[in-house]
Amino acid sequence: MDLGSAHEAEFGKKSWRRRDVVRIGCGAGFAGDRPNAALRLLQQVPDMHYLVLECLAERTLSTRYEAFVAGGKGYDPRISEWMRLLLPETAKRGVCLITNMGAVDPLGAQEEVLKLAAELGHSITVAVAYEVLDTHSVNSEPTYFEDEVGGCSTYLGAAPLVQALETSKPDVLITSRVADASLFLAPMIYELGWKWEDWECLAQGTLAGHLLECGCQLTGGYFMHPADPQRSFSLGQLLQTSLPYADVAWDGAVTLGKIESSGGELSIATCTQQLLYEIGDPAGYITPDVVVNFSHVSFEPLSADRIIAKGAQPAAQSAPKELLRLVPKVNASRVFKLATTFLAIFFLGGAEACLPMSAAVY
């Protein structure tokens, strides 16, 4: 990517760039994914820095809200199953886990993970990034649930996660609803020293996050079709499908990978299939961090297990004008246009930061 000599010189300052390349794996692409596949990725791909568990969709968010108001768990009930299997490996390898399993009760998820870690004999830091709503006054104390906006969830971007990484340097970072690609973009910004106006890099980072977010969809999980000779591979290959990971460089270069000699497929076809998944207008893919133009994206295979992704560009209007908020049907008649939203980050030890942001209700 040609950033221009002046811009490239600015990017090259080692004083704030923590790594030249960050390796981020996708350990889960939906709530029903398999923890064993994530463990396999950790064990067989060396030098992993982050593992993202993307387990929250609109359906699962509504399920967690219903459970929470009924007195049950507002976070993913499988979080201990995942952490019991993965924490020993991430602790040994120094890998940070990022997950949106917090759903509508990220503090409850934090408490459960800390208890489990203590039971396993691990001393870890668990940070939480989530939304706190206050529809009254910026001077009043924000609360996560109020009767009139209970269950509303704004698609947060990478900013509160980056702040959590900077402030807490956690072993585990648990979030509420965050745009899927932003879960992956946050560690890129933190590690590679990107600024919020580095639109070219944010576009490439969002491309990487979007390709990774659905896990094995990128590596052939939804690609195989027995009736199509171009998409047919054996059941054994399908069973050995690897979760994906990405190496992202400080200049925005993205290389996608899967476990060496694993099953499934990582190709121009599978990457293109995932690229077009749930994006609406390819020339204007809107995220909370950047609006991306995917029209010129291309893929260059390096081997059966690695492929370059390039060509993502910021759209003409690079910054999104508003955020998307999900409102439960019972509250749909209450429309809070441009309501004041607070993004609150609570760290182990009590540190707290609130960032005011405008959010639109759809």
Side-chain angles (χ1 to χ4, degrees), residues 27 34-45 51 82 85-90 93 243 259:
R34 304 160 299 155
N36 282 336
L39 181 63
R40 179 180 169 222
L41 186 71
L42 275 174
Q43 292 174 334
Q44 297 189 30
V45 176
L51 186 69
W82 281 89
L85 187 67
L86 297 181
L87 278 179
E89 199 69 25
T90 57
R93 298 175 182 272
L243 284 161
I259 296 171

Side-chain angles (χ1 to χ4, degrees), residues 60-80:
T60 44
L61 187 68
S62 64
T63 300
R64 288 302 95 216
Y65 175 62
E66 290 176 353
F68 187 69
V69 297
K73 291 183 177 181
Y75 54 89
D76 194 314
R78 298 180 66 206
I79 195 166
S80 283

Side-chain angles (χ1 to χ4, degrees), residues 222-306:
Y222 279 0
F223 185 72
M224 192 271 278
H225 195 300
D228 184 346
Q230 302 300 317
R231 293 193 292 156
S232 180
F233 43 82
S234 70
L235 177 61
Q237 278 185 287
L238 188 62
L239 291 174
Q240 291 301 313
T241 299
S242 164
L243 284 161
Y245 67 92
D247 292 332
V248 183
W250 65 270
D251 62 355
V254 173
T255 303
L256 302 160
K258 65 183 181 72
I259 296 171
E260 187 174 353
S261 301
S262 60
E265 181 175 325
L266 181 62
S267 64
I268 293 174
T270 64
C271 289
T272 302
Q273 182 185 55
Q274 176 59 26
L275 175 69
L276 299 176
Y277 181 72
E278 292 184 340
I279 63 169
D281 180 6
Y285 177 53
I286 303 172
T287 78
D289 309 296
V290 59
V291 182
V292 189
N293 182 356
F294 285 154
S295 301
H296 305 289
V297 168
S298 62
F299 302 99
E300 180 183 332
L302 298 176
S303 69
D305 303 312
R306 287 175 66 79

